[in-house]
Amino acid sequence: MKSHYFDIIVLGGGPAAAATALGMQRLGYSVGLVTQPRPFAALEGISQRVIEGLKGAGLESSLEGLPPESPRQVSWNGQTNAANYETLVDRTRFDRAIVNQLRSAGVAVYPGRAEAVTEKLDGWSVVCKVVATAFLGGRFLAESRGRSAAAAGM
């Protein structure tokens, strides 16, 4: 079993995790990112705000090949509104592009599941299940798994 130590461990692989990991890497911190690829195909809408955030974070290449934005329609209480827009993305392709760009920038990516996350006196410990179990240590932890995050106690 291998053990790796980082200044910052980021849990998650979506836009927020990617921007955090790349930003910290560019500031000179060593970064390890743990992300579990989705086990299913998904088509999701992302807002122009997310796209601009990824561009601002330096993740432009993950946005290549996106379709044009589409109006988002909402019907509520007999009223229909199409006030904002979203871009539909194939999350498998989109997430893969984000991970590839992070790896190219020097972020250590662990494509697996964070099995256990523990706060220690000197930082954090993460047990990651990839091909083999990896033990990650870090001074700081960024939880960016969204709905996938554990509800209590990480």
Side-chain angles (χ1 to χ4, degrees):
M1 291 182 239
K2 293 189 176 185
S3 203
H4 306 275
Y5 188 83
F6 300 95
D7 293 318
I8 299 166
I9 300 170
V10 179
L11 303 180
T20 300
L22 189 57
M24 293 295 103
Q25 179 78 16
R26 288 184 172 158
L27 288 172
Y29 295 100
S30 62
V31 180
L33 179 126
V34 179
T35 180
Q36 183 175 26
R38 292 172 191 264
F40 55 87
L43 188 64
E44 287 185 7
I46 59 173
S47 69
Q48 186 62 35
R49 187 177 67 213
V50 170
I51 292 170
E52 292 305 317
L54 288 170
K55 286 178 183 176
L59 290 154
E60 297 91 352
S61 71
S62 64
L63 300 169
E64 291 174 4
L66 289 184
E69 60 185 12
S70 304
R72 180 185 297 172
Q73 288 190 323
V74 177
S75 294
W76 182 260
N77 198 22
Q79 301 277 330
T80 299
N81 186 343
N84 57 9
Y85 293 82
E86 66 185 359
T87 299
L88 295 177
V89 297
D90 172 343
R91 278 307 296 253
T92 302
R93 188 211 64 79
F94 182 61
D95 293 345
R96 188 177 319 119
I98 287 174
V99 165
N100 288 341
Q101 190 165 2
L102 291 174
R103 280 190 175 122
S104 294
V107 174
V109 178
Y110 294 84
R113 179 174 172 75
E115 299 276 325
V117 179
T118 310
E119 186 172 12
K120 307 261 184 189
L121 289 175
D122 60 346
W124 293 85
S125 171
V126 176
V127 177
C128 175
K129 183 67 174 173
V130 214
V131 175
T133 301
F135 295 96
L136 309 180
R139 289 179 34 213
F140 298 98
L141 179 81
E143 172 60 84
S144 297
R145 292 180 287 178
R147 292 183 298 252
S148 301
M154 308 249 200

